[in-house]
Amino acid sequence: MKKWMSMLLAAGMALSLLTACGGNTGDSSTAGGTSDASGEEAPKIVLISNQKSGDLGPVDAMFEGAARAEADFGVTVKTMEVTDAASYEEEIRAMAKEGYDLILTTFSPMTEATKAVAADYPDVKFAAIFQNINVDGETYANVWDTEYRGEECTYVTGAIAATLSESGVLGYISGDEASGVCEAASGFMQGALSVNPDVDVKFMSVNSYEDPAKAKEIANAMIAEGVDAIQTDAGNSQIGVIEAANEAGIYVSGDVSDNSALCPNGFYAYMGIDFGENVYQAIKYFVEDSFPGGEHGYMNIASGTYYVDLTLLDALAEALPEKAETIAAAREVGEKAIEAIQNGEIEVVHDIEPPSMDRVRNY
């Protein structure tokens, strides 16, 4: 692969073709497999998404990550959208049969299909994004699977919230109580405790990612109990939380999008996730002959996948000049937390049990 890359670069060939954001299907024309100047076969890479593009979220980010890899490494990446669960294995297997060298699949619904095809095609490399495959004693030497650890991100937003809070009572409103939510809520509690050992965090689930009205009721109930900063982890339900925060004049942090326009005097952060970075890294490893097959990877702040946009605090300080000093202090707390996580000084406990302040205090 290194030999191929050096020849390609020496010949001055820069193949960069974005096939993603127009919403392709499995009939994408960018099938790869062309020859380079030396006559050697170029690598064939395909990204198969189980969700549609145009979501202004994870899928668009992954397709953008593929486009960046094309530009940076001179490869061509075919992109596909396979939304019928019954077709996952069939489509993945078809790409393996066609001689694709690297196949990227997305999210846990594709896990079993990815494992099945990977077992039958040991010479093909697979990048399983947001999936658990090389875990619990099970290893696939040709698969690199990645787990997303959001608790580092919420540790930072929790530390910021505790700095902003005057009451010392915070809220966390989720869409459900799945393990990913629990670990993120735990991270928020840990971050808040790092700033204020007496802080209290109230946790509630909407039990839906599509019920803003119920989420708003929960938020208002929390506010009535003294909560003055809330972290959401509730998909579309977060809109109700943000509305309640805006009406009550309290602080709020969103899910994975900048919704500061909905609460310009209180929206202080969101849990940024760049799914495209995971795609980019997988392709980078592949072209550099360092693909971590058989390994279970972690996507977090340290990997550049999660981030907290601290510039939102700058905008908030401008909107609330009377609180500018406190907001500046919160920004500094966030900066230091991010740096400490990146250099290993802070290790956020990974806890997938239902959130409990009592348990977190005893870590």
Side-chain angles (χ1 to χ4, degrees), residues 131-328:
Q131 299 176 59
N132 293 321
I133 292 180
N134 292 309
V135 295
D136 300 328
E138 194 172 22
T139 302
Y140 289 76
N142 56 334
V143 177
W144 177 50
D145 57 310
T146 51
E147 176 180 342
Y148 281 61
R149 290 287 183 87
E151 66 264 30
E152 290 184 351
C153 206
T154 49
Y155 181 100
V156 176
T157 62
I160 294 172
T163 306
L164 294 173
S165 176
E166 295 180 3
S167 68
V169 185
L170 313 178
Y172 196 104
I173 299 177
S174 69
D176 62 24
E177 295 186 37
S179 60
V181 168
C182 292
E183 68 189 26
S186 169
F188 184 83
M189 292 175 179
Q190 292 174 63
L193 282 169
S194 73
V195 171
N196 178 4
D198 297 320
V199 74
D200 184 31
V201 179
K202 299 182 180 297
F203 174 85
M204 286 290 292
S205 171
V206 182
N207 292 319
S208 171
Y209 286 91
E210 297 292 340
D211 195 342
K214 183 178 178 181
K216 187 172 183 178
E217 290 179 6
I218 292 172
N220 282 330
M222 284 187 175
I223 293 168
E225 294 179 357
V227 168
D228 62 356
I230 301 176
Q231 172 70 56
T232 70
D233 192 358
N236 192 47
S237 293
Q238 73 176 301
I239 301 302
V241 179
I242 297 171
E243 288 178 355
N246 186 53
E247 293 169 5
I250 70 164
Y251 297 106
V252 65
S253 175
D255 283 26
V256 296
S257 301
D258 179 0
N259 281 311
S260 55
L262 299 178
C263 186
N265 294 331
F267 195 91
Y268 75 87
Y270 64 94
M271 297 182 283
I273 309 177
D274 183 2
F275 285 91
E277 183 63 22
N278 196 171
V279 171
Y280 183 90
Q281 288 181 17
I283 296 171
K284 181 176 186 290
Y285 288 142
F286 175 75
V287 299
E288 292 181 349
D289 284 342
S290 59
F291 191 78
E295 297 182 14
H296 180 68
Y298 295 99
M299 297 291 105
N300 47 30
I301 283 180
S303 72
T305 309
Y306 280 87
Y307 62 92
V308 178
D309 184 358
L310 297 177
T311 62
L312 289 176
L313 288 165
D314 298 333
L316 194 58
E318 291 183 10
L320 301 172
E322 71 279 9
K323 297 182 179 179
E325 185 175 345
T326 299
I327 295 171

